[in-house]
Amino acid sequence: MNDSAAADGIALRVDSVTKTFKVHHERATSLKQFIATGGRNRYEVFEALHDVSFEVPVGEAVGIIGHNGSGKSTLLKCMAKILTPNAGSISINKRMAALLELGAGFHPELSGRDNVFLNAAILGMARPEIARRFDDIVAFSELERFIDTPVKNYSSGMYVRLAFAVAINVDPDLLLIDEILAVGDVTFQQKCMEKFVQFRDEGRTLVLVTHDTSSVRNFCDRAIWLDHGEIKADGPPADVIDIYTETMLEAQASDDGSSRRGDGPVRVTKVDVLVADTRMERVRSGDDVTFRVHFESTEPVPNPVFSLMISSLEGITVTAPSSRDARAVPVSVDGSGYVDISVGDLALIPGSYVIHTEVSGWSRKHVYDHVQNARSFDVLAGETSEADGFVTLRPTWTWAGDGVSAERYDREVPPGSEPDDIT
Ligand SMILES: Nc1ncnc2c1ncn2[C@@H]1O[C@H](COP(=O)(O)OP(=O)(O)OP(=O)(O)O)[C@@H](O)[C@H]1O
Ligand SMILES: [Mg+2]
């Protein structure tokens, strides 16, 4: 509690917070190394957050974005008092619930039921109140069948359902959520987003860490961009996300991770992944996705063949369409432009993919520009539940024979089966 914060309608105040970690080096593996280090383990001090300050007024929904390792989770853990800053302070003036790491706060050996009581009590709820809300919590989680199963047998999706159901039902005024929802299935994510909207409309305060910039754009009042532990931008989501994506793309373009060859007058300058005209880093299986390849040529180039290769992180080619195969080769290009390669109902299953591009002459022998690792993108779960391989062929299953029962189990889990069967 902080009375000065309460007085001016501030739900959360982060004041000059710095958080450092000791990063230990490997133990000495040779005598020489042992002597060099005097037999001690060496460590370096790493600053995960540097002088971070901002205030969140009551009723605001804030999205925190930033690259992997930029300090987002560290910041949320400091807010949730799981970590203590080395300098600066955080004052929280509201009843807070935090959804941070998967299963944090859950006891694996205890049943879902016991964990609900335990978790809600930790979040400050009295036992009679928990008992009163228990049915709502279980109903929201849709885990009726598994509520007496030890949570160690839950799938990650089930963990998230239960944790989220508890967090929103303890009636918090301030909710901190770290990425966690990406684990659940789409229907449940939808349900959570609806809950957020309701939450926000009730004047509660929300801090959301996510890589999904489109949900920040659509849902948050404000975005904060963390970069190497410092605030790089703080303001309206559209503005912050635009400069964030712009910077990330520039970094990708100049990244040593990409390599190019070719001597041609035409070069690929950028590759965008778009859904509904919005640039994305992550898309979903089943989305209508457009790959936009921007180019520039210094002189007229006749019959340029553009190809887009999509590979897995291990370098296996998943697909490699070209404008020549598609009979979509312009008579010439000159100056700048882009070509959209539009894919309806994306068949890629969840995972990370890498895009490579190539521009060549008609025969494809003369390569004008080949960019290896032009960019990467992630595919999140969509309507398909398939998880193996790279694509779904959207098969239809038809059973036949007298020995087959007429009814089928749909998404419902058959009684007596392992809870891991669902997400
Ligand atoms: N307990 C720890 N000990 C040492 N270093 C840590 C610890 N926790 C985090 N770090 C480091 O601090 C930096 C920030 O980590 P953090 O988890 O906050 O990033 P993040 O923005 O949440 O990243 P991501 O998007 O991958 O979740 C990283 O470089 C990470 O390796
Ligand atoms: Mg994180």
Side-chain angles (χ1 to χ4, degrees), residues 21 46 48 67-74 211:
F21 293 113
F46 172 79
H67 61 87
N68 295 118
S70 56
K72 305 179 297 294
S73 298
T74 304
H211 282 100

Side-chain angles (χ1 to χ4, degrees), residues 19-23 44-49 69:
K19 177 70 192 169
T20 59
F21 293 113
K22 283 181 186 170
V23 184
E44 270 170 32
V45 173
F46 172 79
E47 222 174 36
L49 292 173

